[in-house]
Each structure stands twice: as C-alpha cells, then as structure tokens.
Amino acid sequence: QSALTQPASVSGSPGQSITISCTGTSSDVGNYNYVSWYQQHPGKAPKLMIYDVSNRPSEVSNRFSGSKSGNTASLTISGLQAEDEADYYCSSYTSSTIEVFGTGTKVTVL
Amino acid sequence: EVQLVQSGAEVKKPGESLKISCKGSGYSFTSYWIAWVRQMPGKGLESVGIIYPGDSDTTYNPSFQGQVTISADKSTSTTYLQWSSLKASDTAMYFCARRVDFWSGETTNWFDPWGQGTLVTVSS
C-alpha cells in the first residue's frame, strides 16, 4: 500500500489561491470518489476539511474546495489566510478496503 | 457531542508490552469503524488498521500485520492498540478516528472525529 503523492510544500500570499494535488492509482483515487482532505496544525489532531472528493462539512469555510480528475485529486484554498498555515493530507479508500493517506503538504502563508 | 478520548502518553523500554486505548462517546459505538493512525516524528499519517466494534472485524495495513493487535470492548465503548514487544521504531503519535462510511442514506468515506492522540516513546 503506497502513500498517495502530494507536493511537500505550497506557499501563497494572503488573499491568493493555492492548489494541492494528490496523485494515486487506479486502485484508490482513480477508482473511488472517496477522497477526503485533512488539516493538521502543529501538535494537534487532523481535522476533516473535504470528503467524497468535493463535499464540505458545514463547519468548514467555503474557501476550501475539492475536485478530482483521473488518478489525481486536488484541494484548493481560496482567499488564503494566516490561519490556513498547516499541514494538509489527502486520504483515499482503496481496493484493499483500508484507506491510504497522502505524503502531506506544508502550506505556508507568506 | 461525538468524541474520542485517548489514553495518556507512554514511555517504555524496547521489548516491553503496551496497550493504548480510545474511548468513544456521543454516538452508537458499535455502528462505526474505528481506525488507528500512526504519525512518526516529523512525518505523515499512516493507516495502521481498522476495527468494527460491533463484531470486532479487523483489517490491518499489511505493513503493520503481525506487529500490533487492534481490539474492541463494546461494554466500555473502547478500542485498543497493543504491542507485545516494542521497538524504538514504534516511537510515534498514534491517533484513533471514527470512520464514517454511510451517512444520510448514502455510502461515503471520511474520518471524523479524531482522538487527541497518544504519544508513545520507546527508548532504552
């Protein structure tokens, strides 16, 4: 079970938009619309931000959106804010019936 | 409030055994899978395995098969992650998380909530 591939870091200025990619295979991202995204601040537990590729929990800001094309899912953060600085992880259901996580992306707000 | 509360930090020596816990409340504990997730220092999230407390059906990440044991006690709404012989490489933060795979009449897949994490340190 190999981790999904994410860029190690992405940065942007306040107010800008950034996109984080998450690349898997036809055994995970490409075969299921069950990709979720998690935000993790230092020393904290992960927090659900997006589920089922593009659905957003009610308590999550609408500045966060998700999409998928083929074996690659993406998380976009628009109107970047200082509080968005954190690590982000994607996750996908797999044909092994257990989820796989992405390698993680550190988002820096310049 | 739906929540998962994990046991406290542990410091152990190589070769010792350990069992950490994750107690659920605020929802039907036997109706949702619970996942255990490892995060080594400065590293990413890794699935260890999942358990369905309703019948203790368990699936392990092949990388962890035989290295740990996941169990559940329905009577106390608690799941456990245990080691029989710890190694220094087991040093990590371990999170539990509720896996939701059916919601509002539709299949889905996400982890929420998460426990606060249990830091396991293995050092001689």
Side-chain angles (χ1 to χ4, degrees):
Chain A
Q1 192 184 57
S2 297
L4 308 174
T5 301
Q6 297 180 230
S9 63
V10 173
S11 62
S13 299
Q16 286 187 329
S17 292
I18 61 169
T19 296
I20 303 168
S21 61
C22 168
T23 301
T25 70
S26 57
S27 295
D28 38 65
V29 175
N31 198 36
Y32 303 97
N33 286 325
Y34 294 141
V35 176
S36 49
W37 289 89
Y38 302 87
Q39 176 192 65
Q40 187 181 34
H41 286 109
K44 300 294 188 181
K47 174 189 175 185
L48 175 68
M49 304 302 284
I50 294 287
Y51 66 95
D52 296 352
V53 175
S54 59
N55 293 322
R56 192 178 54 250
S58 57
E59 66 272 20
V60 172
S61 169
N62 59 10
R63 298 184 297 103
F64 292 84
S65 61
S67 62
K68 191 187 89 166
S69 177
N71 294 339
T72 298
S74 298
L75 173 72
T76 297
I77 309 174
S78 57
L80 199 62
Q81 298 180 1
E83 69 211 49
D84 301 332
E85 187 162 292
D87 294 326
Y88 291 82
Y89 295 91
C90 60
S91 171
S92 174
Y93 185 77
T94 77
S95 56
S96 304
T97 72
I98 193 169
E99 288 77 7
V100 62
F101 288 95
T103 49
T105 298
K106 181 177 181 60
V107 168
T108 301
V109 181
L110 301 172
Chain B
E1 179 192 6
V2 176
Q3 62 177 349
L4 298 174
V5 178
Q6 299 185 228
S7 49
E10 302 274 2
V11 179
K12 292 289 189 178
K13 290 181 168 38
E16 292 186 330
S17 63
L18 175 65
K19 191 174 190 178
I20 62 175
S21 67
C22 167
K23 183 176 176 62
S25 63
Y27 72 99
S28 176
F29 181 73
T30 55
S31 300
Y32 295 87
W33 293 81
I34 292 288
W36 282 96
V37 178
R38 181 177 81 174
Q39 187 168 38
M40 299 179 76
K43 303 298 183 183
L45 306 174
E46 300 171 271
S47 293
V48 175
I50 54 173
I51 187 166
Y52 190 74
D55 59 7
S56 288
D57 184 17
T58 307
T59 300
Y60 292 94
N61 178 333
S63 298
F64 291 89
Q65 183 85 45
Q67 309 303 308
V68 297
T69 301
I70 295 172
S71 60
D73 182 343
K74 289 189 289 189
S75 68
T76 59
S77 299
T78 303
T79 59
Y80 300 94
L81 177 63
Q82 67 180 87
W83 297 258
S84 58
S85 181
L86 286 159
K87 309 181 191 67
S89 58
D90 293 317
T91 294
M93 181 71 83
Y94 292 86
F95 294 100
C96 62
R98 183 183 69 163
R99 187 177 93 169
V100 178
D101 51 19
F102 195 77
W103 193 261
S104 298
E106 296 191 3
T107 56
T108 183
N109 183 266
W110 75 78
F111 294 111
D112 183 73
W114 292 65
Q116 82 276 21
T118 295
L119 181 61
V120 174
T121 303
V122 184
S123 174
S124 54

PDB file of all heavy atoms in Angstrom, chain B residues 60-73:
ATOM      1  N   TYR B  60      -5.940  -4.989   8.833  1.00  0.00           N
ATOM      2  CA  TYR B  60      -4.659  -4.338   9.100  1.00  0.00           C
ATOM      3  C   TYR B  60      -4.007  -3.863   7.798  1.00  0.00           C
ATOM      4  O   TYR B  60      -4.124  -4.505   6.756  1.00  0.00           O
ATOM      5  CB  TYR B  60      -3.698  -5.307   9.799  1.00  0.00           C
ATOM      6  CG  TYR B  60      -4.094  -5.685  11.204  1.00  0.00           C
ATOM      7  CD1 TYR B  60      -4.840  -6.833  11.447  1.00  0.00           C
ATOM      8  CD2 TYR B  60      -3.719  -4.896  12.290  1.00  0.00           C
ATOM      9  CE1 TYR B  60      -5.205  -7.190  12.730  1.00  0.00           C
ATOM     10  CE2 TYR B  60      -4.076  -5.251  13.587  1.00  0.00           C
ATOM     11  CZ  TYR B  60      -4.831  -6.395  13.787  1.00  0.00           C
ATOM     12  OH  TYR B  60      -5.191  -6.742  15.074  1.00  0.00           O
ATOM     13  N   ASN B  61      -3.304  -2.763   7.885  1.00  0.00           N
ATOM     14  CA  ASN B  61      -2.388  -2.377   6.820  1.00  0.00           C
ATOM     15  C   ASN B  61      -1.317  -3.481   6.788  1.00  0.00           C
ATOM     16  O   ASN B  61      -0.765  -3.813   7.842  1.00  0.00           O
ATOM     17  CB  ASN B  61      -1.769  -1.017   7.160  1.00  0.00           C
ATOM     18  CG  ASN B  61      -0.766  -0.544   6.140  1.00  0.00           C
ATOM     19  OD1 ASN B  61      -0.126  -1.327   5.437  1.00  0.00           O
ATOM     20  ND2 ASN B  61      -0.584   0.760   6.076  1.00  0.00           N
ATOM     21  N   PRO B  62      -1.019  -4.046   5.619  1.00  0.00           N
ATOM     22  CA  PRO B  62      -0.009  -5.118   5.562  1.00  0.00           C
ATOM     23  C   PRO B  62       1.312  -4.741   6.242  1.00  0.00           C
ATOM     24  O   PRO B  62       1.992  -5.626   6.772  1.00  0.00           O
ATOM     25  CB  PRO B  62       0.168  -5.330   4.052  1.00  0.00           C
ATOM     26  CG  PRO B  62      -1.145  -4.953   3.463  1.00  0.00           C
ATOM     27  CD  PRO B  62      -1.632  -3.798   4.300  1.00  0.00           C
ATOM     28  N   SER B  63       1.647  -3.467   6.259  1.00  0.00           N
ATOM     29  CA  SER B  63       2.907  -3.029   6.875  1.00  0.00           C
ATOM     30  C   SER B  63       2.907  -3.221   8.392  1.00  0.00           C
ATOM     31  O   SER B  63       3.971  -3.258   9.019  1.00  0.00           O
ATOM     32  CB  SER B  63       3.162  -1.551   6.559  1.00  0.00           C
ATOM     33  OG  SER B  63       3.304  -1.356   5.172  1.00  0.00           O
ATOM     34  N   PHE B  64       1.709  -3.340   8.970  1.00  0.00           N
ATOM     35  CA  PHE B  64       1.599  -3.460  10.420  1.00  0.00           C
ATOM     36  C   PHE B  64       1.097  -4.839  10.855  1.00  0.00           C
ATOM     37  O   PHE B  64       1.084  -5.138  12.050  1.00  0.00           O
ATOM     38  CB  PHE B  64       0.650  -2.396  10.964  1.00  0.00           C
ATOM     39  CG  PHE B  64       1.186  -0.998  10.856  1.00  0.00           C
ATOM     40  CD1 PHE B  64       0.947  -0.239   9.715  1.00  0.00           C
ATOM     41  CD2 PHE B  64       1.937  -0.432  11.870  1.00  0.00           C
ATOM     42  CE1 PHE B  64       1.450   1.042   9.594  1.00  0.00           C
ATOM     43  CE2 PHE B  64       2.446   0.852  11.762  1.00  0.00           C
ATOM     44  CZ  PHE B  64       2.203   1.595  10.622  1.00  0.00           C
ATOM     45  N   GLN B  65       0.686  -5.660   9.903  1.00  0.00           N
ATOM     46  CA  GLN B  65       0.186  -7.004  10.228  1.00  0.00           C
ATOM     47  C   GLN B  65       1.231  -7.774  11.019  1.00  0.00           C
ATOM     48  O   GLN B  65       2.400  -7.847  10.632  1.00  0.00           O
ATOM     49  CB  GLN B  65      -0.133  -7.754   8.926  1.00  0.00           C
ATOM     50  CG  GLN B  65      -0.735  -9.125   9.120  1.00  0.00           C
ATOM     51  CD  GLN B  65      -2.237  -9.098   9.310  1.00  0.00           C
ATOM     52  OE1 GLN B  65      -2.933  -8.396   8.579  1.00  0.00           O
ATOM     53  NE2 GLN B  65      -2.734  -9.839  10.279  1.00  0.00           N
ATOM     54  N   GLY B  66       0.817  -8.339  12.152  1.00  0.00           N
ATOM     55  CA  GLY B  66       1.729  -9.117  12.974  1.00  0.00           C
ATOM     56  C   GLY B  66       2.563  -8.294  13.930  1.00  0.00           C
ATOM     57  O   GLY B  66       3.220  -8.843  14.825  1.00  0.00           O
ATOM     58  N   GLN B  67       2.553  -6.966  13.751  1.00  0.00           N
ATOM     59  CA  GLN B  67       3.338  -6.082  14.620  1.00  0.00           C
ATOM     60  C   GLN B  67       2.502  -5.507  15.759  1.00  0.00           C
ATOM     61  O   GLN B  67       3.030  -5.177  16.819  1.00  0.00           O
ATOM     62  CB  GLN B  67       3.933  -4.925  13.804  1.00  0.00           C
ATOM     63  CG  GLN B  67       4.681  -5.357  12.545  1.00  0.00           C
ATOM     64  CD  GLN B  67       5.797  -6.336  12.865  1.00  0.00           C
ATOM     65  OE1 GLN B  67       6.646  -6.079  13.725  1.00  0.00           O
ATOM     66  NE2 GLN B  67       5.815  -7.468  12.159  1.00  0.00           N
ATOM     67  N   VAL B  68       1.205  -5.362  15.530  1.00  0.00           N
ATOM     68  CA  VAL B  68       0.282  -4.804  16.519  1.00  0.00           C
ATOM     69  C   VAL B  68      -1.006  -5.612  16.520  1.00  0.00           C
ATOM     70  O   VAL B  68      -1.263  -6.391  15.592  1.00  0.00           O
ATOM     71  CB  VAL B  68      -0.056  -3.332  16.203  1.00  0.00           C
ATOM     72  CG1 VAL B  68       1.183  -2.449  16.274  1.00  0.00           C
ATOM     73  CG2 VAL B  68      -0.736  -3.213  14.848  1.00  0.00           C
ATOM     74  N   THR B  69      -1.804  -5.399  17.560  1.00  0.00           N
ATOM     75  CA  THR B  69      -3.127  -6.025  17.654  1.00  0.00           C
ATOM     76  C   THR B  69      -4.145  -4.957  17.995  1.00  0.00           C
ATOM     77  O   THR B  69      -3.935  -4.169  18.923  1.00  0.00           O
ATOM     78  CB  THR B  69      -3.159  -7.114  18.730  1.00  0.00           C
ATOM     79  OG1 THR B  69      -2.181  -8.110  18.421  1.00  0.00           O
ATOM     80  CG2 THR B  69      -4.538  -7.769  18.789  1.00  0.00           C
ATOM     81  N   ILE B  70      -5.221  -4.923  17.215  1.00  0.00           N
ATOM     82  CA  ILE B  70      -6.317  -3.990  17.458  1.00  0.00           C
ATOM     83  C   ILE B  70      -7.487  -4.789  18.018  1.00  0.00           C
ATOM     84  O   ILE B  70      -7.812  -5.880  17.497  1.00  0.00           O
ATOM     85  CB  ILE B  70      -6.723  -3.280  16.156  1.00  0.00           C
ATOM     86  CG1 ILE B  70      -5.573  -2.398  15.649  1.00  0.00           C
ATOM     87  CG2 ILE B  70      -7.978  -2.448  16.365  1.00  0.00           C
ATOM     88  CD1 ILE B  70      -5.812  -1.799  14.271  1.00  0.00           C
ATOM     89  N   SER B  71      -8.123  -4.264  19.060  1.00  0.00           N
ATOM     90  CA  SER B  71      -9.260  -4.947  19.671  1.00  0.00           C
ATOM     91  C   SER B  71     -10.287  -3.927  20.123  1.00  0.00           C
ATOM     92  O   SER B  71     -10.036  -2.712  20.073  1.00  0.00           O
ATOM     93  CB  SER B  71      -8.795  -5.803  20.858  1.00  0.00           C
ATOM     94  OG  SER B  71      -8.175  -4.994  21.834  1.00  0.00           O
ATOM     95  N   ALA B  72     -11.454  -4.427  20.544  1.00  0.00           N
ATOM     96  CA  ALA B  72     -12.517  -3.532  20.996  1.00  0.00           C
ATOM     97  C   ALA B  72     -13.301  -4.173  22.129  1.00  0.00           C
ATOM     98  O   ALA B  72     -13.428  -5.403  22.182  1.00  0.00           O
ATOM     99  CB  ALA B  72     -13.447  -3.181  19.839  1.00  0.00           C
ATOM    100  N   ASP B  73     -13.821  -3.341  23.010  1.00  0.00           N
ATOM    101  CA  ASP B  73     -14.681  -3.794  24.113  1.00  0.00           C
ATOM    102  C   ASP B  73     -15.979  -3.004  24.010  1.00  0.00           C
ATOM    103  O   ASP B  73     -16.022  -1.819  24.350  1.00  0.00           O
ATOM    104  CB  ASP B  73     -13.983  -3.537  25.441  1.00  0.00           C
ATOM    105  CG  ASP B  73     -14.799  -4.020  26.633  1.00  0.00           C
ATOM    106  OD1 ASP B  73     -16.014  -4.250  26.477  1.00  0.00           O
ATOM    107  OD2 ASP B  73     -14.220  -4.164  27.725  1.00  0.00           O
TER     108      ASP B  73
END
